Amino acid sequence: MTLKLTRSLLGALAMSTALIAASPSLAAGKLTVSLSQDPGSWDPVDIFLVAWATVATNIFDGLTYRGPDLKLVPGLAESWQVSDDGKKITFKLRQNVKFHDGEPFNADAVKFTFDRLLGDEGSKGPQKSNYAAIEKVEVVDPSTVDFILKSPDPVLLTKLAGYGAMIVPPNYIKEKGEDYFNTHPVGTGAFKFISYEPKIGVKLEANPDYWGGAPKISELDYKFITEPATAVAELQAGRVDIVVPPIIPISMVPTIKGDSRLELMSVPGPTVDALRFNTRDGITADVRVRKAIIMAVDRKTIVDAILAGQASEIVSFQSSLSLGYDPDLKGLPFDPEGAKKLLAEAGVKPGAPLQIDIRGNDATMNEVAQAVSSYLQAVGLNPTIKPYELNVLLNDIIPQGKTGALFQQKWGGWTFDYDNTAYSMYHSGEKWNPYEKDAELDKLLESQRPMTDAAEREKVLKQIAAYVNDKALELPLYNSNAIYGVNKRVKNFTPAPDNRIKLNEVTVD
């Protein structure tokens, strides 16, 4: 009896071992990623933060997908067809795809996602205006949807690859409620949500049934580490495998390069930094003062001396990879004497105070702001630097129009199209534009959105950049590389220019 039981047990164990070896759900390995910010919500319609996308790219899918190579490919839509007039897009959807809770993905889910985005719930967040060209989504059959557009949107297919366009589960949200979904997201992506601790981190696990193939790691943990030195120390200690931009300061690049266990990965990206102006209050309400501040700052020296080749100077708030970038656009020159004359013309007295608001955890910008402060002192101004906790600056100070004279704006420009940046920064009523109300600029911004002729549209985008340049709405600084710190035990990792790193193909030794 004992022998029979033993043989049966051994046989069961052997079968169990074989099943484990064959099961895609039991991929080995845990990957830990450091992020500098807790987005605060995981709902796609709530957020327009790069830190959200870094995580959410692994939880959610869009109808289209754009990877690190910047090529647009099918996502949850297998194919699409655009009508001749550009006002209807028909999507054929993948079949037999399920959300993490078992709910089927289908045309009804697509319609629900966009009805929600373009309705009352979407109105609460910053995403809705990016998809304003969509009039409605019509279900043709369970695997086919038509997007009916008010006017053509040449960037829409790219917008459908990220952020607000991520497809969400109708029944789950209806049953659990909006607040629950904010902190317990469900998508169709390569990893399933396990837990979220505000200010601490979020944990995911492999989705063995992912339509793109089961991930090669079993666990994916994100830690929110706001201090650059701490993030790099955790990387060196092996408690973090990847540190995601933009937290690694230039001053720590040699530290990572000098550690034989680590690798520094730096790729040109769309991220730009500027100090934008409060054009409503104080001395910076005067365009002459704004131009004087720009002329007072030697941006080339800042890029060369502080950023050590990991960035390039900009004259408008976009990278050279952006549609709408104008290589012939001339910025104001470094001219301290000219700056002093403009300040005198504007009646600004020597020692006039101004406040520069920055992200407290951005060590590189802290150094840059110190340099800017020195330049402004040299032309007679009295600047002070005020660091804010990141979420406070982004969710309260800037949107509510409570900034000082200058405030830091870092923008990913993830569509590589100036519209994505310019509309959000300069159109009246937008979250990131608390001060400007300019009917002429609004008209320019609106006019290019429906254009299907790329060359004509690019001309208008360049006009917008020139207009903003003339009004001196910001002190443009630099286009930075995306700098990743990576433990060499991580294999098959491709750094993304826009931080939207999909990790289903990554392995760990």
Side-chain angles (χ1 to χ4, degrees), residues 365-416:
M365 177 51 73
N366 195 294
E367 288 187 60
V368 170
Q370 295 289 345
V372 170
S373 179
S374 296
Y375 284 121
L376 297 183
Q377 286 174 0
V379 297
L381 297 172
N382 182 24
T384 56
I385 299 169
K386 186 169 183 177
Y388 281 94
E389 193 274 324
L390 184 56
N391 282 348
V392 173
L393 181 65
L394 296 185
N395 296 322
D396 181 28
I397 301 300
I398 296 175
Q400 300 303 320
K402 299 189 292 188
T403 73
L406 294 98
F407 58 97
Q408 180 190 0
Q409 189 81 60
K410 182 185 289 289
W411 195 254
W414 75 280
T415 61
F416 292 85

Coordinates of all heavy atoms in Angstrom, one line a residue, residues 365-416:
M365 N 17.8 70.1 -12.9 CA 17.2 71.4 -13.0 C 17.5 72.3 -11.8 O 17.6 73.5 -12.0 CB 15.6 71.2 -13.1 CG 14.9 72.6 -13.1 SD 15.4 73.8 -14.4 CE 14.8 73.0 -15.9
N366 N 17.8 71.7 -10.7 CA 18.3 72.5 -9.6 C 19.6 73.2 -9.9 O 19.7 74.4 -9.6 CB 18.4 71.6 -8.3 CG 18.5 72.4 -7.0 OD1 19.5 73.1 -6.9 ND2 17.6 72.3 -6.2
E367 N 20.5 72.5 -10.5 CA 21.7 73.1 -10.9 C 21.5 74.1 -12.0 O 22.1 75.2 -12.0 CB 22.7 72.0 -11.5 CG 23.3 71.1 -10.5 CD 24.3 70.1 -11.1 OE1 25.3 70.6 -11.6 OE2 24.1 68.9 -11.0
V368 N 20.6 73.8 -13.0 CA 20.3 74.7 -14.1 C 19.7 76.0 -13.5 O 20.1 77.1 -13.9 CB 19.4 74.1 -15.1 CG1 18.9 75.1 -16.1 CG2 20.1 73.0 -15.8
A369 N 18.8 75.8 -12.6 CA 18.1 77.0 -12.0 C 19.1 77.9 -11.2 O 19.0 79.1 -11.2 CB 17.0 76.5 -11.0
Q370 N 20.1 77.3 -10.6 CA 21.1 78.0 -9.9 C 21.9 78.9 -10.9 O 22.2 80.1 -10.6 CB 22.1 77.1 -9.1 CG 21.4 76.3 -8.0 CD 21.1 77.2 -6.8 OE1 21.5 78.3 -6.7 NE2 20.2 76.6 -5.9
A371 N 22.2 78.3 -12.0 CA 22.9 79.0 -13.1 C 22.1 80.2 -13.6 O 22.5 81.3 -13.8 CB 23.3 78.1 -14.2
V372 N 20.8 79.9 -13.9 CA 19.9 80.9 -14.4 C 19.8 82.0 -13.4 O 19.8 83.2 -13.7 CB 18.5 80.3 -14.6 CG1 17.4 81.4 -14.9 CG2 18.5 79.3 -15.8
S373 N 19.7 81.7 -12.1 CA 19.6 82.7 -11.0 C 20.9 83.6 -11.1 O 20.7 84.9 -11.0 CB 19.5 82.0 -9.7 OG 19.5 83.0 -8.6
S374 N 22.0 83.0 -11.3 CA 23.3 83.8 -11.3 C 23.2 84.8 -12.5 O 23.6 86.0 -12.4 CB 24.5 82.9 -11.4 OG 24.6 82.1 -10.3
Y375 N 22.8 84.3 -13.7 CA 22.7 85.2 -14.9 C 21.7 86.3 -14.6 O 22.0 87.5 -15.1 CB 22.2 84.4 -16.1 CG 23.3 83.5 -16.7 CD1 23.2 82.1 -16.8 CD2 24.5 84.0 -17.1 CE1 24.1 81.3 -17.3 CE2 25.5 83.2 -17.7 CZ 25.3 81.8 -17.8 OH 26.3 81.1 -18.3
L376 N 20.6 86.0 -14.0 CA 19.6 87.1 -13.7 C 20.1 88.1 -12.7 O 19.8 89.3 -12.8 CB 18.3 86.5 -13.3 CG 17.6 85.5 -14.3 CD1 16.3 85.0 -13.7 CD2 17.4 86.2 -15.6
Q377 N 20.9 87.6 -11.8 CA 21.5 88.6 -10.8 C 22.4 89.5 -11.5 O 22.5 90.7 -11.2 CB 22.3 87.8 -9.7 CG 21.4 87.1 -8.7 CD 22.1 86.3 -7.7 OE1 23.4 86.2 -7.8 NE2 21.5 85.6 -6.8
A378 N 23.1 89.0 -12.5 CA 24.1 89.8 -13.3 C 23.4 91.0 -14.0 O 24.1 91.9 -14.4 CB 24.9 88.9 -14.2
V379 N 22.1 90.9 -14.3 CA 21.5 92.0 -15.0 C 20.6 92.8 -14.1 O 19.8 93.6 -14.5 CB 20.6 91.5 -16.2 CG1 21.5 90.8 -17.3 CG2 19.5 90.5 -15.8
G380 N 20.8 92.6 -12.7 CA 20.1 93.4 -11.8 C 18.9 92.9 -11.1 O 18.2 93.6 -10.3
L381 N 18.5 91.7 -11.4 CA 17.3 91.1 -10.8 C 17.7 90.3 -9.5 O 18.8 90.0 -9.3 CB 16.6 90.1 -11.8 CG 16.0 90.8 -13.0 CD1 15.5 89.8 -14.0 CD2 14.9 91.8 -12.7
N382 N 16.7 90.0 -8.7 CA 16.9 89.3 -7.4 C 16.1 88.1 -7.4 O 15.0 88.0 -6.7 CB 16.6 90.3 -6.3 CG 16.9 89.6 -4.9 OD1 17.7 88.7 -4.8 ND2 16.2 90.1 -3.9
P383 N 16.5 87.0 -8.0 CA 15.7 85.8 -8.1 C 15.9 84.9 -6.9 O 16.9 84.9 -6.2 CB 16.3 85.0 -9.3 CG 17.7 85.5 -9.4 CD 17.8 86.9 -8.8
T384 N 14.8 84.2 -6.6 CA 14.8 83.1 -5.5 C 14.3 81.8 -6.2 O 13.4 81.9 -7.1 CB 14.0 83.5 -4.3 OG1 12.7 83.8 -4.7 CG2 14.6 84.7 -3.6
I385 N 14.8 80.7 -5.7 CA 14.4 79.4 -6.3 C 13.5 78.7 -5.2 O 13.9 78.6 -4.1 CB 15.6 78.5 -6.6 CG1 16.5 79.2 -7.7 CG2 15.2 77.2 -7.1 CD1 17.8 78.6 -7.9
K386 N 12.3 78.3 -5.7 CA 11.4 77.6 -4.8 C 11.1 76.2 -5.3 O 10.4 76.0 -6.3 CB 10.1 78.4 -4.6 CG 9.2 77.8 -3.5 CD 8.0 78.7 -3.2 CE 7.2 78.1 -2.1 NZ 6.1 79.0 -1.7
P387 N 11.7 75.2 -4.6 CA 11.4 73.8 -5.0 C 10.1 73.3 -4.4 O 9.8 73.6 -3.3 CB 12.6 73.0 -4.4 CG 13.1 73.8 -3.3 CD 12.7 75.3 -3.5
Y388 N 9.4 72.6 -5.2 CA 8.1 72.0 -4.8 C 8.2 70.5 -4.9 O 8.8 69.9 -5.8 CB 7.0 72.5 -5.7 CG 6.4 73.9 -5.4 CD1 6.9 74.9 -6.1 CD2 5.5 74.1 -4.4 CE1 6.4 76.2 -5.8 CE2 5.0 75.3 -4.2 CZ 5.5 76.4 -4.9 OH 5.0 77.7 -4.6
E389 N 7.4 69.8 -4.0 CA 7.2 68.4 -4.2 C 6.5 68.2 -5.6 O 5.6 69.0 -5.9 CB 6.3 67.8 -3.1 CG 6.3 66.3 -3.0 CD 5.2 65.7 -3.9 OE1 4.2 66.3 -4.0 OE2 5.5 64.6 -4.5
L390 N 6.9 67.2 -6.3 CA 6.5 67.1 -7.7 C 5.0 67.2 -7.9 O 4.5 68.0 -8.8 CB 7.1 65.8 -8.3 CG 6.8 65.6 -9.8 CD1 7.4 66.8 -10.6 CD2 7.5 64.3 -10.3
N391 N 4.2 66.3 -7.2 CA 2.8 66.3 -7.4 C 2.1 67.6 -7.1 O 1.1 68.0 -7.6 CB 2.2 65.1 -6.7 CG 2.4 63.8 -7.4 OD1 2.8 63.8 -8.5 ND2 2.2 62.7 -6.7
V392 N 2.7 68.3 -6.1 CA 2.1 69.6 -5.7 C 2.3 70.6 -6.8 O 1.3 71.3 -7.1 CB 2.8 70.1 -4.4 CG1 2.3 71.5 -4.0 CG2 2.4 69.2 -3.2
L393 N 3.5 70.7 -7.4 CA 3.7 71.6 -8.4 C 2.8 71.3 -9.6 O 2.2 72.2 -10.2 CB 5.2 71.5 -8.9 CG 5.6 72.5 -10.0 CD1 5.5 73.9 -9.5 CD2 7.0 72.2 -10.4
L394 N 2.7 70.0 -10.0 CA 2.0 69.7 -11.2 C 0.5 69.6 -11.1 O -0.3 69.9 -12.0 CB 2.5 68.3 -11.7 CG 3.9 68.2 -12.2 CD1 4.2 66.8 -12.7 CD2 4.3 69.2 -13.2
N395 N 0.0 69.3 -9.9 CA -1.4 69.2 -9.7 C -2.1 70.4 -9.0 O -3.3 70.5 -9.1 CB -1.7 67.9 -8.9 CG -1.3 66.6 -9.7 OD1 -1.5 66.6 -10.9 ND2 -0.8 65.7 -9.0
D396 N -1.3 71.2 -8.4 CA -1.9 72.4 -7.7 C -1.3 73.7 -8.2 O -2.0 74.5 -8.7 CB -1.7 72.2 -6.2 CG -2.3 73.3 -5.4 OD1 -3.3 73.9 -5.9 OD2 -1.7 73.7 -4.3
I397 N 0.0 73.9 -8.0 CA 0.6 75.2 -8.3 C 0.4 75.7 -9.7 O -0.1 76.8 -10.0 CB 2.1 75.2 -7.9 CG1 2.2 74.8 -6.4 CG2 2.7 76.5 -8.1 CD1 1.5 75.7 -5.4
I398 N 0.8 74.8 -10.7 CA 0.7 75.3 -12.1 C -0.7 75.4 -12.6 O -1.1 76.4 -13.0 CB 1.6 74.4 -13.0 CG1 3.1 74.5 -12.7 CG2 1.4 74.8 -14.5 CD1 4.0 73.5 -13.4
P399 N -1.5 74.3 -12.5 CA -2.9 74.4 -13.0 C -3.7 75.5 -12.4 O -4.6 76.0 -13.0 CB -3.5 73.0 -12.7 CG -2.3 72.1 -12.6 CD -1.2 72.9 -12.0
Q400 N -3.5 75.8 -11.1 CA -4.3 76.8 -10.4 C -3.7 78.2 -10.6 O -4.3 79.1 -10.0 CB -4.3 76.4 -8.9 CG -5.0 75.1 -8.6 CD -6.4 74.9 -9.2 OE1 -7.2 75.9 -9.1 NE2 -6.7 73.8 -9.7
G401 N -2.7 78.3 -11.4 CA -2.1 79.7 -11.6 C -1.5 80.3 -10.4 O -1.7 81.5 -10.1
K402 N -0.8 79.5 -9.6 CA -0.2 80.0 -8.3 C 1.3 80.0 -8.3 O 1.9 79.9 -7.3 CB -0.7 79.1 -7.1 CG -2.2 79.2 -7.0 CD -2.7 78.5 -5.7 CE -2.5 77.0 -5.7 NZ -3.1 76.4 -4.5
T403 N 1.9 80.1 -9.5 CA 3.3 80.0 -9.6 C 4.0 81.4 -9.4 O 3.3 82.4 -9.3 CB 3.7 79.6 -11.1 OG1 3.5 80.7 -12.0 CG2 3.0 78.4 -11.5
G404 N 5.3 81.3 -9.3 CA 6.1 82.6 -9.2 C 6.2 83.1 -10.6 O 5.4 82.8 -11.6
A405 N 7.2 84.0 -10.9 CA 7.4 84.6 -12.2 C 7.8 83.6 -13.2 O 7.4 83.7 -14.4 CB 8.5 85.7 -12.0
L406 N 8.6 82.6 -12.8 CA 8.9 81.5 -13.8 C 8.7 80.2 -13.1 O 8.8 80.1 -11.9 CB 10.4 81.6 -14.1 CG 10.9 82.8 -14.9 CD1 11.5 83.9 -14.0 CD2 12.0 82.4 -16.0
F407 N 8.3 79.2 -13.9 CA 8.1 77.9 -13.4 C 8.5 76.8 -14.4 O 8.4 77.0 -15.6 CB 6.6 77.7 -13.0 CG 5.6 77.8 -14.2 CD1 5.2 76.8 -14.9 CD2 5.2 79.1 -14.5 CE1 4.2 76.9 -15.9 CE2 4.2 79.3 -15.5 CZ 3.8 78.2 -16.3
Q408 N 9.1 75.8 -13.8 CA 9.7 74.7 -14.6 C 8.6 73.9 -15.3 O 7.6 73.5 -14.7 CB 10.5 73.7 -13.8 CG 11.1 72.6 -14.6 CD 11.7 71.5 -13.7 OE1 11.7 71.6 -12.5 NE2 12.3 70.5 -14.3
Q409 N 8.7 73.7 -16.6 CA 7.9 72.8 -17.3 C 8.7 71.8 -18.1 O 9.6 72.2 -18.9 CB 7.0 73.5 -18.3 CG 5.9 72.6 -18.9 CD 4.7 72.5 -18.0 OE1 4.0 73.4 -17.6 NE2 4.4 71.2 -17.6
K410 N 8.5 70.5 -17.8 CA 9.2 69.4 -18.5 C 8.1 68.7 -19.3 O 7.1 68.3 -18.7 CB 9.9 68.5 -17.5 CG 10.7 67.3 -18.2 CD 11.2 66.4 -17.1 CE 12.4 67.0 -16.3 NZ 13.6 67.1 -17.1
W411 N 8.3 68.5 -20.5 CA 7.3 67.9 -21.4 C 7.8 66.9 -22.3 O 8.8 67.1 -23.0 CB 6.6 69.0 -22.2 CG 5.3 68.7 -22.8 CD1 5.1 68.4 -24.1 CD2 4.1 68.5 -22.1 NE1 3.8 68.1 -24.3 CE2 3.1 68.1 -23.1 CE3 3.7 68.6 -20.8 CZ2 1.8 67.9 -22.8 CZ3 2.4 68.4 -20.5 CH2 1.4 68.0 -21.5
G412 N 7.1 65.7 -22.3 CA 7.6 64.6 -23.1 C 7.4 64.7 -24.6 O 8.1 64.1 -25.4
G413 N 6.3 65.4 -25.0 CA 6.0 65.5 -26.5 C 6.0 64.1 -27.1 O 6.5 63.9 -28.2
W414 N 5.3 63.2 -26.5 CA 5.4 61.8 -26.8 C 4.9 61.4 -28.2 O 5.2 60.4 -28.8 CB 4.7 60.9 -25.8 CG 3.2 60.9 -25.9 CD1 2.4 61.8 -25.4 CD2 2.4 59.9 -26.5 NE1 1.1 61.5 -25.7 CE2 1.1 60.3 -26.4 CE3 2.7 58.7 -27.2 CZ2 0.0 59.6 -26.9 CZ3 1.6 58.0 -27.6 CH2 0.3 58.4 -27.5
T415 N 4.0 62.3 -28.8 CA 3.6 62.0 -30.2 C 4.6 62.5 -31.2 O 4.4 62.2 -32.4 CB 2.3 62.7 -30.5 OG1 2.5 64.1 -30.3 CG2 1.2 62.3 -29.5
F416 N 5.7 63.1 -30.8 CA 6.7 63.7 -31.7 C 6.0 64.6 -32.7 O 6.3 64.6 -33.9 CB 7.5 62.6 -32.4 CG 8.4 61.8 -31.4 CD1 7.9 60.8 -30.7 CD2 9.7 62.2 -31.2 CE1 8.6 60.1 -29.8 CE2 10.5 61.5 -30.3 CZ 10.0 60.4 -29.6

